[in-house]
Amino acid sequence: MKKISDLEPHASATLITSELLKLIYRNPDYFSKNENILKALRSQGALAKLEFNFEDSGAIKSKSPMSINTLKSHANLQFKGGFKELDTLRLAALRAIEKVNGSKEATSTKRTKSGLSRLVTELEERLDKQRCANMVLQGLSLAINELRNIRSNLDPALLEKRASDAVQALTALLSLPPEQPPPPPLLPETGELRDWRSIASDKPPSPTTI
């Protein structure tokens, strides 16, 4: 067989087409994102019109464009299996790239689903913590109000009732899991952050003398 460089251009391009297809088949991952190659592999006509430079075994080779009829004619002359042999190479190269791309897409989808699943779990955990925090704030607000009422009420029976309600609210807060520490209470009247113990220790105001 003559060297490729000794052949006329179309014959040379036909042999180079065969070599390119074999190279793609052996290294589909390398060509998997090349739109020109993907387009050329999808049809016989597109392959014939392809103009492409590539490196093979350390040599730079150029596949020049031609008509599909010219490609078929030279393939029938140069290959034992004729053009059918060349087209079989084209389909094999296309399937190799599709397999690589299909595997990448499946992996990407799996990662995406896994990532979404973790995100949903994280958001659900945050929602549970927020609900717990809201319960803590409501309980502390109730306890604070009861303790403030204790300061301003001198009725012994009512004082005992207020104190009992405040103790129950604080006991409920203390029963929460330790990993959910309650934030400091917010006094609704002033917006001031204070510790409930400082409120409970405040002395009740002295009766106003008229």
Side-chain angles (χ1 to χ4, degrees):
M1 181 181 292
K2 294 182 179 181
K3 294 182 180 179
I4 291 179
S5 58
D6 295 333
L7 299 174
E8 63 96 2
H10 288 154
S12 174
T14 301
L15 288 178
I16 290 177
T17 300
S18 174
E19 294 178 353
L20 174 60
L21 293 174
K22 292 175 182 177
L23 183 63
I24 295 171
Y25 180 77
R26 295 194 304 268
N27 305 278
D29 190 67
Y30 180 79
F31 295 94
S32 62
K33 298 303 180 183
N34 191 303
E35 293 298 330
N36 291 330
I37 290 296
L38 290 171
K39 181 180 178 181
L41 294 178
R42 291 189 180 109
S43 73
Q44 298 174 353
L47 178 62
K49 294 177 181 178
L50 175 67
E51 184 174 5
F52 191 75
N53 298 322
F54 62 99
E55 181 178 351
D56 184 20
S57 301
I60 302 299
K61 300 180 180 180
S62 299
K63 192 279 180 190
S64 58
M66 68 186 86
S67 69
I68 181 60
N69 290 333
T70 301
L71 179 60
K72 285 182 177 181
S73 298
H74 284 278
N76 287 332
L77 292 172
Q78 297 184 58
F79 304 128
K80 183 180 294 187
F83 178 74
K84 185 176 181 180
E85 178 181 324
L86 189 66
D87 199 48
T88 299
L89 286 175
R90 175 184 68 84
L91 294 174
L94 177 61
R95 284 193 295 268
I97 285 185
E98 288 178 340
K99 183 177 180 180
V100 168
N101 287 341
S103 176
K104 289 180 178 179
E105 183 177 352
T107 301
S108 177
T109 301
K110 183 177 180 181
R111 287 175 180 172
T112 300
K113 289 181 179 179
S114 176
L116 288 175
S117 178
R118 289 195 298 271
L119 178 59
V120 169
T121 300
E122 181 182 348
L123 290 176
E124 288 176 344
E125 291 176 353
R126 289 184 181 181
L127 181 59
D128 289 340
K129 290 179 180 180
Q130 186 61 47
R131 288 171 177 167
C132 182
N134 290 341
M135 292 175 61
V136 170
L137 288 175
Q138 292 175 4
L140 285 174
S141 178
L142 174 62
I144 290 170
N145 286 334
E146 295 299 336
L147 291 171
R148 294 188 64 187
N149 288 332
I150 289 174
R151 295 190 311 178
S152 58
N153 200 306
L154 299 179
D155 184 346
L158 189 55
L159 283 173
E160 182 177 355
K161 174 64 169 58
R162 300 288 189 186
S164 176
D165 290 342
V167 169
Q168 288 181 6
L170 293 173
T171 300
L173 294 179
L174 292 175
S175 67
L176 292 173
E179 63 271 14
Q180 304 287 349
L186 178 66
L187 297 182
E189 288 79 7
T190 64
E192 178 187 1
L193 290 174
R194 295 179 60 189
D195 190 291
W196 66 270
R197 288 178 295 236
S198 65
I199 300 174
S201 63
D202 288 347
K203 295 181 180 180
S206 303
T208 302
T209 302
I210 301 177

